[in-house]
Amino acid sequence: MVNRQLMSASLASASLKTCIWLMSIAVWMFGLIERTVGVLTEEHLTLLKLAQVLMMAIGLLSLFILKPKMPTFSDEGSMS
């Protein structure tokens, strides 16, 4: 009984982490696209504006690397 509750709580926690991760990916993609369009539509292209776009791209790539893993359970009910 306790094992099932633990597994259920673990799955709920992992599901919440994944939802937050997906929402943050969408927000970062929107921000990167908006900033890139803003930089490219201006007449003067400065190093500072390019650095902002580069930092946002690095932030987005780091989110892909930090994707949360879903827990796996064996037949006996133990987490692995």
Side-chain angles (χ1 to χ4, degrees), residues 21 24-29 32 53-68:
W21 178 78
S24 64
I25 290 287
V27 168
W28 273 88
M29 285 180 66
L32 180 62
V53 172
L54 179 65
M55 292 302 290
M56 290 190 74
I58 291 171
L60 182 61
L61 288 176
S62 69
L63 279 175
F64 283 116
I65 293 170
L66 297 173
K67 180 181 182 194

